[in-house]
């Protein structure tokens, strides 16, 4: 498990806090608590269940062409909990618990007493994504976790937003979506 505590916690310029499993064991949970603010600017917090099998998708037909991660034993991704007064995700800030395997994604819980702000100030340059809160199942049979946001104010400005689902962009398959 990973635990970070402080008054203000800022991750930027590609920094990440990550807990991943590539085998049958479960990845650890991530808990970040800041009394004032958590900021993610072009940075991320990830809990993932992965396999070592590449997922290949035909770009024209959007159909899988290579071996998917379905049926390969894998551990589940850990849960992510962010607790603060203000959560700011900007210019590609990302919080995600996901699965690319038969293991389940963890749950994502955001508790921000004042506000959650997702904003995209700089132009989006592919392959980078806009600011996003996501729980996703891609390519395997694992379920996406639940995504819960408890806040006084939610602001989304030119961001992709909040997503709990199965499949994503170029990979249209996966297990059940979360709540």
């Amino acid at each position: 498990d990973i635990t970070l505590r402080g008054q203000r916690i800022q991750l930027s310029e590609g920094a990440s806090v990550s807990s991943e499993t590539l085998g049958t064991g479960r990845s650890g949970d991530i808990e970040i608590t800041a009394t004032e603010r958590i900021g993610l600017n072009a940075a991320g917090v990830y809990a993932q269940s992965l396999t070592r099998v590449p997922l290949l998708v035909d770009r024209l037909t959007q159909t899988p062409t290579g071996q998917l991660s379905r049926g390969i034993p894998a551990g589940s991704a850990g849960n992510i909990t962010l607790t603060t007064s203000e959560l700011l995700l900007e210019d590609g800030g990302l919080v995600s618990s996901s699965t690319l395997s038969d293991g389940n994604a963890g749950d994502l819980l955001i508790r921000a007493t004042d506000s959650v702000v997702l904003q995209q100030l700089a132009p989006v340059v592919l392959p980078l994504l806009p600011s996003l809160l996501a729980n996703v199942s891609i390519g395997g049979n694992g379920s996406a976790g639940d995504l819960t946001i408890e806040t006084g104010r939610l602001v989304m400005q030119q961001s992709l937003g909040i997503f709990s689902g199965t499949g994503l962009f170029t990979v249209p398959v996966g297990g059940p979506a979360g709540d």
Side-chain angles (χ1 to χ4, degrees), residues 28-29 41 69 72 89 97 108 113 118 121 128 137 148 155 162:
D29 293 334
N41 183 314
S69 52
I72 297 173
L89 277 69
S97 181
L108 173 55
T113 54
L118 286 79
L121 303 175
L128 300 177
S137 172
T148 304
V155 179
I162 300 167

Side-chain angles (χ1 to χ4, degrees), residues 42-77:
V45 177
Y46 315 99
Q48 299 177 333
S49 172
L50 308 168
T51 63
R52 291 186 175 96
V53 177
L55 177 65
L56 305 174
V57 175
D58 183 287
R59 288 182 174 216
L60 296 176
T61 64
Q62 299 299 308
T63 56
T65 59
Q67 183 176 5
L68 296 177
S69 52
R70 292 179 177 211
I72 297 173
S76 294

Side-chain angles (χ1 to χ4, degrees), residues 60-134:
L60 296 176
T61 64
Q62 299 299 308
T63 56
T65 59
Q67 183 176 5
L68 296 177
S69 52
R70 292 179 177 211
I72 297 173
S76 294
N79 299 317
I80 299 174
T81 303
L82 303 180
T83 305
T84 188
S85 178
E86 177 186 336
L87 174 63
L88 175 62
L89 277 69
E90 59 185 351
D91 295 337
L94 174 67
V95 180
S96 174
S97 181
S98 60
T99 179
L100 283 80
S101 72
D102 283 353
N104 294 326
D107 294 332
L108 173 55
L109 173 60
I110 307 290
R111 288 187 181 122
T113 54
D114 182 34
S115 63
V116 173
V117 177
L118 286 79
Q119 61 187 7
Q120 191 66 37
L121 303 175
V124 176
V125 179
L126 295 176
L128 300 177
L129 294 175
S131 300
L132 179 67
L133 294 171

